[in-house]
């Protein structure tokens, strides 16, 4: 079912040999990739008995134009349509990083957030280069049941 959705999605427009993974390089310094996976968002082993897609993620790389949250959200809307986009927008933000305490770290290069909608959970992350501009953005749409595992990975226990 996922392969059929990917194959028929006009935004993704996979090549004939692409099934669950799509890679595009529209110009030098730019890249788009999409991947559907049986693996949980935080890693670990898939439930082979169920054989369902647990995580779908896309990545934008652009060294000429900043990657912003708005750009990631617009990509989410274009790929998944208004229903999933609205689920994301109306979802509750569970946590964001860096926290105020973490911003004191001069080596910090990642900014992200995790939110939970009615249907799915969502995780975005922006990577900043040495110049201080965001050049990479990624977003995952994943099963809500995988939220505890992701929270454990991202939020250190005290």
């Amino acid at each position: 079912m996922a392969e059929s959705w990917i194959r028929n999605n006009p935004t993704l427009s996979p090549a004939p040999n692409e099934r669950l993974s799509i890679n595009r390089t529209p110009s030098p310094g730019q890249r788009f990739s999409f991947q559907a996976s049986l693996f949980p968002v935080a890693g670990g082993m898939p439930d082979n008995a169920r054989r369902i897609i647990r995580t779908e993620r896309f990545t934008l790389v652009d060294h000429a134009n900043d990657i912003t949250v708005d750009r990631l959200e617009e990509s989410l809307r274009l790929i998944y349509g208004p229903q999933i986009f609205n689920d994301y927008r109306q979802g509750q933000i569970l946590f964001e990083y860096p926290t105020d305490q973490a911003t004191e770290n001069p080596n910090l290069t990642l900014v992200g957030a995790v939110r939970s909608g009615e249907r799915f959970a969502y995780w975005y992350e922006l990577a900043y280069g040495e110049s201080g501009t965001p050049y990479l953005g990624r977003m995952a749409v994943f099963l809500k049941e995988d939220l505890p595992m992701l929270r454990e990975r991202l939020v250190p226990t005290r």
Side-chain angles (χ1 to χ4, degrees), residues 47 50 52 54 121 142-150:
D47 182 354
R50 292 176 53 198
I52 60 170
R54 300 188 71 85
F142 61 99
L143 298 180
K144 288 172 58 170
E145 65 193 64
D146 292 340
L147 274 168
M149 192 180 346
L150 180 61

Side-chain angles (χ1 to χ4, degrees), residues 60 65-74 124 126 128 134 136-137:
L60 304 173
N65 306 294
D66 291 353
I67 303 290
T68 63
V69 174
D70 288 343
R71 193 166 167 193
L72 285 176
E73 289 175 347
E74 178 62 12
Y124 78 78
L126 297 173
Y128 288 76
L136 180 144

Side-chain angles (χ1 to χ4, degrees), residues 9-158:
N9 187 309
T11 302
L12 296 175
S13 65
N17 63 335
E18 294 176 319
R19 297 174 61 162
L20 295 177
S21 183
I22 296 169
N23 292 294
R24 299 282 178 274
T25 306
S27 65
Q30 294 182 320
R31 188 178 77 238
F32 168 81
S33 63
F34 176 90
Q35 181 183 35
S37 175
L38 300 172
F39 290 90
V41 69
M45 296 304 296
D47 182 354
N48 287 330
R50 292 176 53 198
R51 305 255 330 139
I52 60 170
I53 300 296
R54 300 188 71 85
T55 306
E56 293 176 0
R57 64 181 88 221
F58 63 89
T59 302
L60 304 173
V61 175
D62 193 334
H63 291 279
N65 306 294
D66 291 353
I67 303 290
T68 63
V69 174
D70 288 343
R71 193 166 167 193
L72 285 176
E73 289 175 347
E74 178 62 12
S75 297
L76 178 75
R77 187 187 66 74
L78 288 170
I79 293 168
Y80 290 97
Q83 289 181 332
I84 298 300
F85 179 69
N86 288 333
D87 184 54
Y88 164 82
R89 295 288 287 177
Q90 295 168 3
Q92 175 188 5
I93 296 174
L94 301 178
F95 54 94
E96 297 175 288
Y97 54 94
T99 62
D100 289 338
Q101 296 169 343
T103 56
E104 296 173 14
N105 181 349
N107 298 319
L108 186 64
T109 58
L110 293 176
V111 173
V114 176
R115 63 172 78 196
S116 179
E118 286 290 317
R119 295 181 64 188
F120 297 105
Y122 306 88
W123 174 26
Y124 78 78
E125 199 166 54
L126 297 173
Y128 288 76
E130 291 178 8
S131 67
T133 59
Y135 69 94
L136 180 144
R138 54 185 163 224
M139 183 173 281
V141 178
F142 61 99
L143 298 180
K144 288 172 58 170
E145 65 193 64
D146 292 340
L147 274 168
M149 192 180 346
L150 180 61
R151 179 181 276 284
E152 185 177 298
R153 179 175 155 204
L154 293 177
V155 179
T157 55
R158 297 187 171 147

